[in-house]
Amino acid sequence: MSDPLPTPITDLDWSIVPSPCFVVDTRLLERNARILGRVRAEAGCKVLLALKGFAMWSAFGVFKPHLDGCTASGPIEAQLAREEFGKEVHTYAPAFSEVDLAETLTFSDHIVFNTPGQLARHLPAMRAARQKTGAKQVEIGLRVNPGYAEVEVDLYNPCASGSRLGSLREVIGKELPAGVDGLHFHALCEQGADVFARVLAVVEDRFGDWFPQIRWLNCGGGHWITKPDYDVELLIATIRDLKRRHPHLTIYLEPGEAAAVDTGVLVTTVVDLHRNGPLPLALLDVSVTCHMPDVLEMPYRPTIHGAGEAGATPHTYRLGGPTCLAGDVIGDWSFSAPLAIGDRLIFADMSHYTMVKTTMFNGVKHPSLALWDGKALNVVRRFGYQDYRNRLS
Ligand SMILES: Cc1ncc(COP(=O)(O)O)c(C=O)c1O
């Protein structure tokens, strides 16, 4: 997740929003979609939405005019992409079982394998699918690992030593394995076009001798294209140069975070106030482990509208969730006035890598999902007992 940017939803009366609730502003999604669409048009590449980062399908209509399709991580995301987005569907998984592959094939235009072993194992099924009368041509890709990235946190570094993601050149060998139509690499995380240019140079150095034999190159996600200081011109120029060197290649980008960064909030309510030590505690109706797991995993610190760093203003609280996990603590923030039960707290930048990761641990109330367009609040989903029950038997 990003260093949170302030989310500029300033025209919504929070008291009309059910709590808890993820509210996504379609105007902000559109802003991101247009930037991605501009890259697509000016660089002459294709841009896919990575569903792993943002999959609120009721908002797909905002992206459809600007993007070429979706990228999926397995059969279920591929099905969602096919049914709800409906343009190109590309699926990569670190490993496909036979069952997963058969399902994925039904919904995908491109399937990317992680290793030459996976490719060899599934090539007969891929070829059989191609021969089926009327079956569409499913493109076959191989994910390569450039062995070079500039990601500092190993949890998010696909090129960390011994990584299982993609295959190193020395593992694949001299020849491009039979059946490969395109190559895929993903080595960025929340990074700029300058880093992309350096990673691409390594990819070309290590795998460029195969480029004449392939039709497309997928440059993965992690491009922080919609961030205000991102150098969009450099990205466009880098892709144009790449295409000048290899005019036969179709170039794909598959950002997730860039599509949804800074487009939505998590609306929460103070349910209780408590104190067992030096800091007053505020218990909220959201859980860090269930609803914003990246705060624990990344870790990162979200922004709360109107709140400051601990101690910055007179009333500092430790904010925590409603589960039994002792570490279900979001962090310490300060407020200019004492908190009261029933107060709304609005967490910024909560659209990406949140809804897609949520759990119902402890049976905690699952945040509703809503879209806001500046005029009407559309609560597209509320969750209850049946949603919890249906996942468990
Ligand atoms: C293969 C692949 N493609 C695309 C993405 C999307 O990355 P981001 O959301 O950082 O743009 C990821 C993220 O992990 C990925 O693993």
Side-chain angles (χ1 to χ4, degrees):
M1 295 258 313
S2 58
D3 281 331
L5 306 162
T7 301
I9 302 181
T10 50
D11 51 1
L12 176 56
D13 170 7
W14 303 115
S15 70
I16 67 162
V17 181
S19 182
C21 185
F22 289 106
V23 181
V24 176
D25 189 320
T26 52
R27 299 164 299 178
L28 301 174
L29 283 184
E30 171 117 23
R31 176 198 64 189
N32 287 353
R34 284 186 186 280
I35 296 170
L36 297 177
R38 187 186 147 221
V39 169
R40 178 188 177 220
E42 294 187 22
C45 65
K46 294 197 175 192
V47 181
L48 309 167
L49 170 66
L51 295 191
K52 69 188 76 190
F54 183 77
M56 189 186 187
W57 49 270
S58 50
F60 282 178
V62 177
F63 290 106
K64 275 188 212 177
H66 304 285
L67 305 186
D68 295 281
C70 296
T71 191
S73 313
I76 290 179
E77 281 189 1
Q79 183 168 2
L80 186 73
R82 174 65 78 226
E83 292 182 358
E84 300 297 338
F85 206 100
K87 294 174 97 177
E88 289 183 37
V89 181
H90 295 226
T91 311
Y92 157 78
F96 288 99
S97 67
E98 269 78 12
V99 173
D100 284 352
L101 185 82
E103 289 174 11
T104 303
L105 260 171
T106 326
F107 304 114
S108 303
D109 301 294
H110 284 213
I111 294 187
V112 177
F113 295 105
N114 195 48
T115 61
Q118 275 267 303
L119 172 70
R121 183 168 154 202
H122 294 303
L123 201 53
M126 299 291 293
R127 288 196 165 134
R130 279 182 179 181
Q131 279 158 10
K132 256 197 221 156
T133 322
K136 63 186 178 335
Q137 168 97 0
V138 179
E139 292 279 308
I140 299 173
L142 178 64
R143 175 165 173 176
V144 296
N145 183 324
Y148 174 83
E150 300 184 17
V151 181
E152 278 160 19
V153 181
D154 270 0
L155 183 65
Y156 291 92
N157 184 1
C159 301
S161 170
S163 166
R164 70 193 196 292
L165 302 172
S167 297
L168 297 167
R169 177 67 196 243
E170 51 269 36
V171 170
I172 307 173
K174 195 167 174 322
E175 306 295 333
L176 179 68
V180 173
D181 301 309
L183 295 178
H184 177 290
F185 69 93
H186 168 78
L188 304 183
C189 179
E190 296 186 342
Q191 282 168 315
D194 53 336
V195 181
F196 172 56
R198 289 195 287 273
V199 171
L200 183 63
V202 174
V203 170
E204 272 192 273
D205 182 50
R206 301 205 178 149
F207 301 95
D209 58 316
W210 288 340
F211 285 8
Q213 300 171 61
I214 59 173
R215 286 196 278 270
W216 49 266
L217 179 68
N218 186 325
C219 303
H223 312 265
W224 220 4
I225 300 167
T226 53
K227 193 174 176 268
D229 57 359
Y230 186 92
D231 191 343
V232 176
E233 306 309 325
L234 178 60
L235 176 66
I236 292 170
T238 303
I239 295 173
R240 280 190 176 167
D241 282 350
L242 176 66
K243 284 172 65 82
R244 219 168 282 133
R245 291 191 296 279
H246 309 282
H248 69 292
L249 287 184
T250 301
I251 308 300
Y252 288 93
L253 303 179
E254 48 180 32
E257 177 157 341
V261 68
D262 197 26
T263 62
V265 298
L266 178 56
V267 176
T268 74
T269 300
V270 177
V271 177
D272 199 13
L273 298 165
H274 182 34
R275 184 172 203 140
N276 268 332
L279 265 191
L281 305 166
L283 280 95
L284 309 185
D285 57 357
V286 288
S287 153
V288 63
T289 187
C290 298
H291 308 137
M292 38 180 118
D294 275 355
V295 172
L296 294 179
E297 281 178 21
M298 188 76 170
Y300 91 105
R301 183 179 162 83
T303 295
I304 300 176
H305 287 199
E309 291 299 312
T313 50
H315 304 278
T316 295
Y317 291 83
R318 178 154 299 163
L319 306 180
T323 73
C324 64
L325 178 73
D328 196 356
V329 171
I330 308 165
D332 301 345
W333 277 267
S334 69
F335 301 84
S336 48
L339 290 179
I341 291 171
D343 280 355
R344 291 291 167 101
L345 298 186
I346 314 299
F347 287 83
D349 197 19
M350 283 286 159
S351 299
H352 60 279
Y353 292 105
T354 50
M355 284 173 250
V356 288
K357 285 189 165 189
T358 49
T359 73
M360 296 186 91
F361 177 54
N362 274 211
V364 292
K365 188 168 181 185
H366 205 66
S368 303
L369 307 176
L371 294 171
W372 169 243
D373 63 2
K375 297 186 197 85
L377 184 75
N378 177 12
V379 181
V380 295
R381 188 88 154 85
R382 292 175 198 264
F383 299 88
Y385 168 66
Q386 293 298 340
D387 297 293
Y388 175 72
R389 184 178 183 275
N390 288 343
R391 294 181 68 237
L392 293 170
S393 279

